[in-house]
């Protein structure tokens, strides 16, 4: 696996950052807290999701980022020849997780959980294993030495993934417990409360139910035979009843028809009587028509006379209307002729108006040309004045900015001096750290030697002069006092050396605190000078901008002066212009008045012409009816006579319509007489058919009751048979259930045997896994020791040749062939040993992984190393590039950058936003 690029947007302190990762040793350098380690955490987050983060998701998105902007990380890497691009983001108010994965440019999935699953499958490791193999932190290195042996062993085995074997063993034990409980459940399901085997009880029950089934079979057979006999008897009775029922139906049908014929006869006789009364009434109306029929001719003569008088009255009314219109039209024509004469006289006052207007328009246009040039001149004068004022303001601004800039002269030199002082203080601190480590190691060694000599002196005192020397095994005798004195002197000398070392250690410690305080002050001063330098640069930009703007304004002033020369001598009298406009407005009003008069004259002429035509039309219409006269009294007499005759006429029309039905009524009387005769004949025939049928209703009822009794007996037999059959079916179902229970009991017994076999195999697997764990622990410890020893030998230039983990995972370093515990060595050597052990763990995890991880990340690993050791560490890491193509070193120590191939510089601006860039 090889990293290519990473892009961060609103991730923790990063607003927008993009990094390309080259091959080689890459330093990630910056002050503490600026976001160096965040780059590495972003790799874990984009690959494995939120469970790879060390905080809740709300703290992952950059503080102050807009709500509509997503928190996003995109990573490109190579794996086994394929190109991968994984993108993970949190979007919206609720920070909804989203992710996508592209392999060789093709989208594989855009589901966040699926992306994590595919990454784990492709890499062959989960988040914990992956970061154990590629990421080493300083706190992990310190923990390796500060832990007790048992804790150290547990941590190393966890980092190497050995605890997975233990988890597998626990899973096996859980399976065993589950299967044991299952067997208990099966036993409780195959044995009843009395302790009897349920299978035996079920077999006994099956035999009993089989016997009951055999007893029911002959009973059902006898009942089926009885049911057949009863059925035949019921069927015979049914056929006899059906024959009687058909005769009954005929009887009912004939009786019904007889009742209908009697009702028809009654209705026919009623209708015959009604038609005879109607015929008598029609004959009386015929006589009335003969008496009044002569009045019809008088009615038609009166109606013709009335129509003639109505036509004369209409012409008379039209004549009077036309005479009134003629009088009104003549008067209107006279009035309009007078108005037209007055308008024509009034329009003569507007002669020659166009010429006067044309003269005034020409004078107005000449004045407007002059006014436009005058306005241009005024605008140029205003612009000239504004430009002069702006030039004065900008000259004052430039003078003020130059005066303000003098306060920042010599700022760069002061900043360089402060940074040189910070660098010198850091080197002094590193030297003090190295000295403190050496003093601490010397003091511990001296204390150890004092304790050894005190123990030796105590041993010799306990032995006495007659005792044997613990070294040469000879009697002490005369050497006793001399040996005691020598050991006492050595103890006193060693204590003096120890107290001197402790005193010097405290002095160095105080000096280190002083240097750190001085460094903090210098850093604060450096930041202040950096801010002032930023202000100076901003002032330089402002001065340059003001100078450019001042030059532009002066050039603009010269251009305005040149343009004003074209308008010299141009003046404009606004009052003259207003007078011309006022006069022109008056003339335009008179022109409008003349046009209005012309329109009125035209309208009056049209109206006069229309009224003349109207008069001609009235005279033409009046000529034919001029002599028409009308007598209103004669008209009223005719109308009165007509109203009386109209009543008689309507009676005549009604009588004629009713008399026309006389022949039809006579025919109806004859037809009803014939129909009455035929109905009587039909009633006689029906009575004869009923008598011939000879139907006995009481015999029919008795026959029907007998049939119902036989059918009831058959139903009772069917019910009894059904009960026996149900009993038989229940016995059969019980047998089926018993057989199913027997099969279930056999299955449970077989399943119990299978589970017991599975427990046997799980016991065997548990033993194998425990043995495998012991084997792996035994194999890994030498592998770690060998790998760590190679690195330690390289980092110490061969001074220490071997690092060993014993069976308890205590760390020993061989010095000149002798193993010593880690606390014997200085702090820097202890850190070095921890680093070698941690790199060995990463190497072993990488070798055991199915996928080769070609990069490793080391976070603040230099600890208290001196400059030589730091250089040796980097040299050794360059050697590791054969195994790791990319080695990332996260550190705040500036001087190590010179030993690195590439440097990623991480900085933080005033707003707390982190930025990263590749230094050349």
């Amino acid at each position: 696996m090889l990293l290519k690029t990473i892009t961060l947007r609103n991730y923790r302190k990063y607003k927008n950052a993009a990094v390309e990762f080259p091959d080689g040793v890459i330093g990630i350098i910056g002050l503490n807290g600026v976001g160096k380690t965040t780059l590495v955490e972003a790799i874990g987050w984009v690959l494995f999701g939120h469970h790879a983060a060390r905080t809740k998701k709300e703290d992952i998105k950059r503080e102050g980022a807009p709500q509509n902007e997503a928190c996003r990380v995109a990573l490109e890497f190579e794996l086994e020849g394929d190109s991968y691009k994984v993108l993970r983001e949190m979007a919206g108010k609720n920070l909804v997780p989203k992710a996508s994965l592209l392999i060789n440019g093709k989208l594989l999935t855009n589901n966040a959980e699926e992306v994590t699953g595919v990454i784990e499958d492709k890499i062959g490791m989960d988040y914990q294993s992956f970061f154990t193999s590629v990421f080493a932190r300083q706190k992990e290195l310190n923990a390796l030495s500060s832990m007790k042996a048992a804790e150290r062993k547990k941590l190393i085995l966890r980092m190497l993934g050995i605890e997975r074997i233990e988890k597998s063993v626990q899973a096996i034990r859980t399976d065993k417990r589950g299967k044991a409980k299952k067997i208990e459940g099966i036993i409780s399901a195959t044995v009843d409360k009395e302790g009897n085997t349920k299978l035996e009880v079920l077999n006994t029950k099956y035999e009993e139910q089989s016997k009951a089934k055999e007893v029911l079979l002959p009973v059902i057979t006898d009942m089926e035979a009885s049911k057949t006999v009863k059925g035949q008897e019921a069927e015979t009775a049914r056929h006899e009843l059906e024959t009687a029922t058909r005769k009954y139906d005929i009887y009912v049908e004939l009786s019904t028809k007889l009742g209908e014929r009697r009702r028809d006869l009654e209705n026919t006789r009623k209708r015959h009587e009604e038609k005879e009364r109607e015929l008598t009434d029609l004959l009386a109306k015929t006589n009335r028509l003969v008496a009044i029929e002569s009045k019809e001719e008088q009615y038609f003569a009166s109606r013709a006379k009335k129509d003639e008088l109505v036509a004369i009255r209409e012409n008379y009314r039209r004549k009077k209307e036309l005479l009134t219109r003629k009088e009104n039209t003549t008067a209107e024509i006279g009035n309009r002729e007078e108005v037209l004469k007055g308008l024509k006289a009034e329009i003569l006052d507007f002669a020659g108006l166009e010429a006067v207007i044309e003269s005034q328009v020409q004078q107005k246009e000449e004045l407007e040309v002059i006014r436009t040039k005058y306005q241009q001149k005024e605008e140029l004068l205003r612009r000239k004045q504004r430009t002069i004022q702006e030039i004065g303001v900008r000259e004052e601004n430039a003078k003020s900015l130059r005066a303000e800039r003098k306060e920042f002269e010599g700022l760069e030199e002061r900043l360089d001096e402060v940074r040189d002082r910070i660098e010198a203080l850091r080197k002094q601190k590193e030297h003090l750290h190295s000295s403190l480590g050496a003093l601490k190691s010397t003091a511990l060694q001296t204390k150890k030697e004092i304790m050894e000599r005190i123990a030796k002196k105590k041993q010799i005192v306990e032995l006495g002069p007659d005792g044997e020397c613990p070294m040469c095994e000879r009697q002490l005798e005369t050497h006793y006092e001399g040996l005691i004195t020598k050991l006492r002197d050595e103890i006193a000398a060693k204590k003096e050396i120890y107290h001197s070392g402790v005193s010097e250690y405290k002095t160095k410690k105080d000096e280190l605190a002083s240097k750190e305080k001085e460094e903090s002050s210098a850093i604060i001063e450096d930041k202040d000078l950096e801010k002032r330098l930023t202000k100076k640069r901003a002032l330089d930009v402002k001065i340059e901008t003001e100078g450019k703007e001042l030059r532009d304004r002066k050039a603009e002033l010269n251009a305005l002066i040149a343009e004003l020369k074209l308008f010299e001598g141009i003046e404009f009298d606004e009052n003259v212009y207003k007078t011309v406009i006022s006069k022109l407005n008056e003339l335009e009003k008179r022109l409008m008045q003349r046009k209005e008069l012309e329109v009125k004259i035209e309208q009056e002429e049209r109206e006069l012409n229309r009224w003349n035509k109207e008069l001609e039309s009235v005279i033409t219409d009046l000529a034919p009816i001029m002599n028409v006269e009308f007598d209103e009294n004669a008209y009223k007499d005719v109308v009165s006579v007509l109203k009386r005759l109209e009543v008689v006429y309507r009676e005549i029309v009604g009588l004629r319509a009713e008399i026309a039905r006389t022949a039809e009524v006579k025919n109806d009387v004859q037809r009803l007489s014939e129909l009455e005769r035929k109905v009587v004949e039909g009633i006689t025939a029906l009575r004869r058919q009923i008598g011939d049928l000879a139907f006995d209703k009481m015999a029919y009822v008795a026959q029907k009751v007998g049939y119902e009794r036989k059918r009831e007996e058959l139903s009772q037999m069917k019910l009894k048979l059904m009960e026996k059959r149900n009993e038989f079916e229940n016995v059969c179902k019980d047998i089926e259930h018993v057989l199913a229970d027997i099969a279930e009991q056999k299955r449970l017994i077989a399943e119990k045997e299978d589970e017991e076999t599975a427990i046997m195999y799980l016991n065997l697997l548990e033993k194998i896994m425990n043995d495998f764990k012991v084997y792996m622990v035994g194999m890994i410890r030498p592998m770690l020791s060998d790998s760590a020893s190679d690195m330690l030998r390289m980092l110490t230039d061969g001074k220490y040749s071997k690092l060993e983990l014993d069976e308890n995972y205590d760390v020993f370093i061989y010095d000149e062939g002798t193993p010593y515990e880690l606390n014997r060595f200085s702090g820097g050597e202890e850190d070095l040993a921890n680093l070698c052990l941690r790199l060995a763990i990463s190497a072993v995890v990488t070798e055991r992984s199915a996928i080769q991880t070609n990069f490793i990340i080391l976070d603040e690993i230099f600890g208290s190393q001196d400059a030589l050791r730091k250089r040796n560490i980097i040299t050794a890491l360059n050697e590791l590039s054969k195994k790791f193509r990319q080695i990332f070193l996260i550190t705040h120590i500036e001087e190590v950058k010179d030993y690195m191939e590439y440097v990623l510089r991480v900085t933080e601006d005033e707003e707390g936003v982190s930025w990263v860039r590749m230094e050349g």
Side-chain angles (χ1 to χ4, degrees):
M1 182 177 179
L2 195 64
L3 304 181
K4 288 298 182 182
T5 66
I6 188 169
T7 304
L8 299 88
R9 177 133 181 112
N10 293 323
Y11 182 83
R12 296 201 186 278
K13 300 180 74 171
Y14 288 90
K15 183 177 182 180
N16 197 354
V19 181
E20 292 186 7
F21 299 118
D23 290 2
V25 179
I26 306 157
I28 303 176
I29 298 177
L31 298 175
N32 291 330
V34 298
K36 304 186 295 297
T37 307
T38 300
L39 279 175
V40 178
E41 293 175 349
I43 295 173
W45 186 75
V46 72
L47 288 175
F48 299 100
H50 183 62
H51 63 272
R54 54 185 168 87
T55 60
K56 55 186 180 180
K57 67 178 183 179
E58 289 78 8
D59 296 332
I60 295 177
K61 185 172 181 181
R62 182 176 63 85
E63 184 178 356
Q67 193 178 86
N68 60 348
E69 290 186 9
C71 169
R72 181 185 300 116
V73 177
L75 177 69
E76 295 183 17
F77 60 92
E78 289 182 359
L79 182 64
E80 296 185 331
D82 292 323
S83 176
Y84 287 70
K85 182 176 181 181
V86 56
L87 184 147
R88 195 178 297 273
E89 68 177 14
M90 297 187 300
K93 181 179 180 181
N94 297 324
L95 298 178
V96 178
K98 300 178 182 178
S100 63
L101 175 63
L102 286 83
I103 302 180
N104 297 325
K106 294 182 178 179
L107 179 65
L108 184 65
T109 178
N110 55 10
N111 179 278
E113 293 183 0
E114 291 181 2
V115 168
T116 303
V118 172
I119 292 293
E120 290 180 352
D121 181 63
K122 295 290 185 182
I123 296 177
M125 292 182 279
D126 60 8
Y127 164 74
Q128 191 70 36
S129 300
F130 179 76
F131 264 72
T132 299
S133 66
V134 302
F135 192 29
R137 300 179 177 91
Q138 179 63 41
K139 61 182 180 181
E140 290 179 354
L141 305 183
N142 296 336
L144 287 173
S145 61
S146 62
M147 285 179 172
K148 295 180 181 179
E151 294 174 343
R152 184 186 304 110
K153 179 179 180 181
K154 185 177 181 181
L155 173 64
I156 291 174
L157 293 180
R158 180 182 60 78
M159 294 171 72
L160 292 170
I162 301 301
E163 83 281 359
R164 295 180 184 174
I165 300 175
E166 183 62 32
K167 289 180 179 178
S168 298
V169 172
Q170 293 298 328
I172 292 170
R173 290 171 181 168
T174 302
D175 287 348
K176 282 170 56 181
R177 287 193 295 271
K179 291 183 181 298
K181 288 182 179 179
K182 191 172 182 180
I183 289 172
E184 291 177 4
I186 292 173
I187 291 172
S188 65
T190 54
V191 179
D192 60 17
K193 295 179 180 180
E194 288 76 19
N196 299 320
T197 304
K198 289 185 178 180
L199 183 59
E200 295 177 356
V201 174
L202 288 170
N203 285 329
T204 303
K205 188 176 181 180
Y206 172 70
E207 292 174 359
E208 293 174 352
Q209 289 175 342
S210 298
K211 291 178 181 178
K213 178 181 176 182
E214 292 173 358
V215 170
L216 285 170
L217 280 173
V219 175
I220 292 172
T221 303
D222 294 341
M223 293 183 73
E224 285 179 344
S226 298
K227 188 195 79 166
T228 302
V229 173
K230 295 286 184 182
Q232 291 173 352
E233 292 176 353
E235 185 66 19
T236 301
R238 185 180 66 81
H239 285 303
E240 294 174 352
L241 181 61
E242 286 178 353
T243 302
T245 300
R246 284 195 291 273
K247 184 182 286 189
Y248 171 73
D249 292 339
I250 294 171
Y251 172 77
V252 171
E253 182 182 359
L254 291 173
S255 298
T256 302
K257 287 182 179 179
L258 180 60
E260 291 174 353
R261 293 292 181 272
R262 286 172 176 169
R263 287 192 293 274
D264 291 344
L265 177 61
E266 184 178 352
N267 293 332
T268 302
R269 285 173 176 170
K270 287 180 180 179
R271 289 168 60 196
H272 185 255
E273 292 173 357
E274 290 174 356
K275 288 295 180 180
E276 285 181 344
R277 286 195 297 271
E278 186 178 357
L279 181 60
T280 302
D281 185 56
L282 288 173
L283 292 174
K285 289 180 178 179
T286 302
N287 296 329
R288 170 63 180 168
L289 177 62
V290 172
I292 63 174
E293 200 167 13
S294 60
K295 299 289 185 180
E296 185 177 10
E297 292 180 2
Q298 297 176 14
Y299 167 74
F300 283 114
S302 297
R303 194 168 71 176
K305 182 63 176 176
K306 177 193 172 187
D307 292 341
E308 181 182 351
L309 290 173
V310 168
I312 294 170
R313 184 180 64 175
E314 182 62 27
N315 286 332
Y316 183 72
R317 185 192 60 78
R318 174 69 173 161
K319 169 186 169 184
K320 288 170 67 176
E321 181 183 342
L322 289 173
L323 289 172
T324 303
R325 283 176 60 192
K326 178 180 177 185
E327 182 180 353
N328 293 337
T329 301
T330 303
E332 183 67 26
I333 289 171
N335 292 335
R336 291 197 174 274
E337 286 177 346
E338 288 295 327
V339 171
L340 184 60
K341 183 178 179 182
L343 290 173
K344 288 181 177 180
E346 188 177 350
I347 202 171
L348 294 175
D349 295 338
F350 294 94
L353 186 61
E354 287 85 350
V356 176
I357 290 174
E358 185 177 355
S359 173
Q360 288 298 117
V361 169
Q362 184 176 0
Q363 186 178 358
K364 175 196 170 190
E365 290 174 350
E366 292 173 355
L367 287 171
E368 285 180 344
V369 171
I370 295 171
R371 185 177 67 167
T372 300
K373 291 182 178 180
Y374 182 74
Q375 289 174 344
Q376 292 175 350
K377 175 183 175 182
E378 289 293 315
E379 178 61 24
L380 289 171
L381 288 171
R382 283 193 295 272
R383 287 175 59 193
K384 175 184 174 184
Q385 186 62 32
R386 285 199 303 269
T387 304
I388 292 171
Q389 292 174 354
E390 189 174 352
I391 287 171
V393 172
R394 291 196 176 276
E395 285 177 344
E396 287 297 323
N397 289 343
K399 184 179 178 181
S400 174
L401 290 170
R402 284 193 294 272
E404 187 178 353
R405 189 184 182 283
K406 288 180 180 180
E407 298 177 7
F408 298 97
E409 290 181 357
L411 194 61
E412 289 86 350
E413 292 78 4
R414 289 172 60 193
L415 184 60
D416 292 339
E417 290 174 3
V418 170
R419 288 181 175 172
D420 290 341
R421 189 162 78 252
I422 292 172
E423 185 65 25
L425 287 169
R426 286 178 177 168
K427 289 180 179 179
Q428 291 172 15
K429 279 175 58 183
E430 289 175 9
H431 179 69
L432 286 171
H433 276 296
S434 179
S435 299
L436 286 169
L439 286 170
K440 182 180 179 181
S441 178
T442 303
L444 292 172
Q445 182 63 29
T446 302
K447 187 176 181 180
K448 183 179 180 181
E449 291 174 357
I450 291 171
M451 298 306 295
E452 289 174 354
R453 281 163 175 74
I454 290 173
K456 188 183 290 184
K457 177 187 172 186
K458 183 179 180 182
Q459 185 181 8
I460 292 172
V461 169
E462 290 175 352
L463 290 171
D466 297 331
E468 292 182 354
C469 177
M471 303 297 294
C472 62
E473 298 183 352
R474 291 180 295 179
Q475 285 189 341
L476 292 172
E477 297 180 349
T478 58
H479 296 287
Y480 174 77
E481 292 296 336
L483 191 56
I484 292 295
T485 303
K486 181 183 178 183
L487 287 172
R488 189 184 298 117
D489 293 342
E490 287 181 356
I491 291 169
K494 290 292 182 182
K495 283 185 177 180
E496 185 178 353
I497 293 171
Y498 175 75
H499 290 307
S500 174
V502 170
S503 177
E504 186 179 358
Y505 179 85
K506 290 180 179 178
T507 304
K508 294 285 186 182
K509 194 76 172 178
D510 294 340
E511 186 179 352
L512 178 62
S514 175
K515 294 295 182 184
E516 287 177 344
K517 185 176 180 181
E518 190 177 347
E519 183 188 18
S520 298
S521 300
I523 290 172
I524 293 171
E525 185 179 357
D526 176 76
K527 290 183 178 178
D528 182 60
L529 290 172
E530 185 68 37
K531 290 180 181 178
R532 288 172 58 79
L533 184 60
T534 302
K535 290 181 180 179
K536 178 186 174 184
R537 289 169 180 164
L539 283 173
D540 290 340
V541 172
K542 287 181 180 179
I543 290 170
E544 183 179 353
T545 303
E546 287 294 333
K548 183 176 180 300
E549 290 293 330
L550 187 59
R551 291 192 296 274
D552 292 344
R553 297 290 83 76
K554 287 182 178 180
E556 184 181 349
L557 180 61
N558 293 332
L560 289 171
I561 292 171
E563 193 173 352
L564 276 169
K565 290 181 180 179
L566 300 174
F567 295 94
E568 289 181 355
I570 292 177
E571 298 295 337
F572 176 72
D573 190 344
E574 186 69 28
N575 293 327
V576 173
Y577 178 74
K578 289 180 179 179
T579 302
V580 171
I581 293 297
S582 177
K583 189 173 180 181
L584 186 59
N585 290 337
E586 291 293 332
L587 291 171
E588 287 178 350
K589 288 180 182 179
R590 287 182 57 77
L591 182 62
M592 290 299 295
Q593 291 173 358
R594 194 186 74 173
K595 288 182 178 179
E596 290 175 359
L597 286 172
E598 290 175 348
V599 170
K600 287 180 180 180
I601 289 171
E602 184 179 354
Q603 290 176 347
E604 288 297 330
E605 287 177 345
R606 282 200 304 271
E607 285 296 314
L608 183 60
N609 186 37
R610 185 177 67 80
W611 283 107
N612 285 326
K613 289 181 179 179
E614 176 73 12
L615 182 60
E616 292 175 0
S617 174
V618 168
I619 292 171
T620 301
D621 292 339
L622 189 58
I625 59 176
M626 192 65 187
N627 297 323
V628 173
E629 297 296 337
F630 176 71
D631 186 353
E632 185 68 29
N633 293 325
Y635 173 75
K636 290 179 180 180
D637 293 339
V638 171
V639 169
S640 177
V641 171
L642 183 62
K643 284 181 179 180
R644 290 194 302 271
L645 290 174
E646 188 173 4
V647 173
V648 177
Y649 175 72
R650 287 178 180 172
E651 185 181 359
I652 292 170
V653 171
L655 290 172
R656 282 176 179 168
E658 290 183 11
I659 291 170
R661 295 176 54 249
T662 303
E664 180 184 350
V665 173
K666 288 181 180 180
N667 292 332
D668 288 342
V669 170
Q670 293 176 0
R671 180 177 58 78
L672 288 171
S673 297
E674 182 64 24
L675 179 60
E676 183 179 351
R677 184 184 62 77
K678 289 181 179 179
V679 170
V680 171
E681 291 176 355
I683 288 172
T684 304
L686 285 171
R687 285 175 176 169
R688 187 170 53 252
Q689 290 178 5
I690 291 172
D692 294 341
L693 185 61
F695 175 72
D696 187 352
K697 190 172 183 180
M698 295 301 293
Y700 171 73
V701 171
Q703 194 174 7
K704 189 174 182 181
V705 170
Y707 168 70
E708 290 295 336
R709 185 175 60 255
K710 291 184 180 297
R711 194 176 68 170
E712 179 66 23
E713 291 174 356
L714 179 62
S715 297
Q716 291 295 327
M717 180 58 68
K718 287 181 178 179
L719 287 173
K720 291 178 181 179
L721 179 60
M722 186 182 298
E723 288 175 358
K724 289 297 180 181
R725 282 177 176 172
N726 288 338
E727 185 179 352
F728 181 77
E729 289 175 1
N730 290 334
V731 171
C732 292
K733 288 180 181 178
D734 289 342
I735 292 173
E736 290 176 3
H737 291 155
V738 170
L739 290 173
D741 292 341
I742 291 171
E744 177 63 16
Q745 288 294 314
K746 290 180 179 179
R747 185 191 68 78
L748 289 173
I749 292 170
E751 186 176 356
K752 174 175 170 288
E753 294 173 355
D754 292 342
E755 294 297 332
E756 289 171 346
T757 304
I759 288 176
M760 180 186 69
Y761 284 122
L762 286 172
N763 287 327
L764 179 60
L765 181 60
E766 181 181 358
K767 183 177 182 305
I768 292 171
M769 293 298 290
N770 283 322
D771 293 343
F772 177 66
K773 176 185 174 183
V774 173
Y775 169 76
M776 288 297 296
V777 171
M779 288 293 294
I780 286 173
R781 186 171 53 80
M783 290 172 61
L784 288 175
S785 298
D786 292 343
S787 180
S789 297
D790 292 341
M791 294 180 189
L792 182 64
R793 188 182 306 110
M794 186 185 304
L795 293 177
T796 60
D797 291 332
K799 180 179 179 181
Y800 303 116
S801 60
K802 187 175 181 181
L803 185 150
E804 184 181 63
L805 289 172
D806 67 3
E807 293 181 355
N808 296 324
Y809 277 72
D810 281 321
V811 182
F812 292 87
I813 295 179
Y814 281 73
D815 188 1
E816 296 182 356
T818 303
Y820 294 97
E821 291 184 2
L822 200 59
N823 58 14
R824 173 183 182 273
F825 299 93
S826 67
E829 291 169 334
E830 184 178 338
D831 291 344
L832 205 60
N834 289 332
L835 173 62
C836 294
L837 181 58
R838 182 63 184 82
L839 291 175
I841 292 170
S842 292
V844 170
V845 172
T846 302
E847 289 171 2
R848 290 175 62 236
S849 173
I851 302 298
Q852 185 70 23
T853 52
N854 292 315
F855 70 93
I856 189 169
I857 303 166
L858 306 174
D859 188 1
E860 299 289 359
I861 63 168
F862 294 109
S864 59
Q865 304 298 322
D866 57 22
L868 179 60
R869 286 281 169 77
K870 291 173 184 173
R871 187 167 62 251
N872 287 346
I873 289 173
I874 296 176
T875 302
L877 292 176
N878 283 321
E879 290 295 324
L880 282 176
S881 61
K882 298 174 183 176
K883 184 176 293 185
F884 300 104
R885 287 177 59 182
Q886 293 173 320
I887 301 174
F888 296 90
L889 286 174
I890 301 174
T891 181
H892 67 280
I893 301 172
E894 286 287 333
E895 61 266 22
V896 298
K897 70 177 183 179
D898 297 330
Y899 306 118
M900 299 181 185
E901 297 178 70
Y902 305 97
V903 173
L904 290 174
R905 173 71 63 182
V906 181
T907 58
E908 181 180 340
D909 61 18
E910 295 178 357
E911 296 179 356
V913 176
S914 295
W915 304 92
V916 59
R917 59 184 174 84
M918 179 73 76
E919 290 189 350

